[in-house]
Amino acid sequence: MAPASKVQTGSACREPRPEARFRRACRLERHSEYQGLVKHTGGCHCGAVRFEVWASADLHIFDCNCSICKKKQNRHFIVPASRFKLLKGAESITTYTFNTHKAQHTFCKRCGVQSFYSPRSNPGGFGIAPHCLDEGTVRSVVVEEFNGSDWEKAMKEHKTIKSMSKE
Ligand SMILES: [Zn+2]
């Protein structure tokens, strides 16, 4: 990811390309069932993008107020990449990046909905939009405000966010 990002401008919208990381098999599928995780499914509005993700039924959501999350009202929970599997729509996904270009703001180029992305806090994992999950698998939701408007300081002071994409 990193080398390509150098040529992007601040408002660049890259053409979508099927990304290997989306195609990774859900390796944890078998033993996650007894780690207390459940399989959530979800996707964008038009149905082009569909995914499954293994996570707790009790979701810990970050409500971030950085420049882009504020405009998008982006709330998300973070999972390791191995727990996420794109079921369809790699060709429908386009990516917006800015500033450090670490976060990959992936969204459906048809309906515009960002159902998941790779956050700057955890570029190796995925941030999943809980409001894009299908009904029936979420038991509870806790929302934590994350002061992304002062991102470096917020990251330094936060105890657990950095490790949320680790296995
Ligand atoms: Zn869509």
Side-chain angles (χ1 to χ4, degrees):
M1 285 288 144
S5 68
K6 285 179 183 160
V7 296
Q8 290 167 356
T9 63
S11 59
C13 250
R14 270 195 280 143
E15 280 304 302
R17 58 190 159 83
E19 300 207 41
R21 66 200 173 101
F22 297 151
R23 293 177 171 169
R24 205 175 298 174
C26 218
R27 282 182 280 123
L28 291 184
E29 187 146 350
R30 284 208 178 81
H31 68 265
S32 290
E33 280 164 321
Y34 42 89
Q35 283 180 336
L37 305 179
V38 300
K39 183 163 78 174
H40 304 280
T41 55
C44 69
H45 185 266
C46 73
V49 176
R50 294 287 301 165
F51 61 81
E52 63 184 39
V53 60
W54 285 88
S56 172
D58 304 300
L59 298 177
H60 188 104
I61 309 295
F62 288 105
D63 185 1
C64 180
N65 65 353
C66 80
S67 63
I68 190 165
C69 286
K70 189 177 170 192
K71 292 215 173 197
K72 276 201 269 202
Q73 293 291 290
N74 179 20
R75 292 175 298 285
H76 58 280
F77 61 96
I78 299 168
V79 297
S82 60
R83 291 198 206 155
F84 175 90
K85 184 181 181 183
L86 187 71
L87 300 174
K88 63 183 277 229
E91 72 290 345
S92 298
I93 292 169
T94 190
T95 304
Y96 172 73
T97 68
F98 68 102
N99 192 14
T100 64
H101 303 284
K102 285 202 174 115
Q104 303 290 304
H105 294 278
T106 45
F107 61 97
C108 173
K109 66 183 178 185
R110 180 164 177 227
C111 67
V113 169
Q114 179 178 77
S115 52
F116 71 91
Y117 78 119
S118 294
R120 183 182 172 193
S121 66
N122 287 267
F126 289 102
I128 313 295
H131 40 274
C132 289
L133 295 181
D134 301 333
E135 287 183 21
T137 52
V138 177
R139 185 166 51 202
S140 70
V141 169
V142 170
V143 180
E144 177 185 352
E145 290 186 356
F146 184 76
N147 188 25
S149 65
D150 194 356
W151 195 86
E152 280 81 7
K153 184 164 180 274
M155 282 301 286
K156 194 180 264 184
E157 290 174 357
H158 201 282
K159 301 268 188 295
T160 53
I161 193 168
K162 283 186 276 297
S163 60
M164 287 191 156
S165 60
K166 305 290 182 289
E167 299 293 348

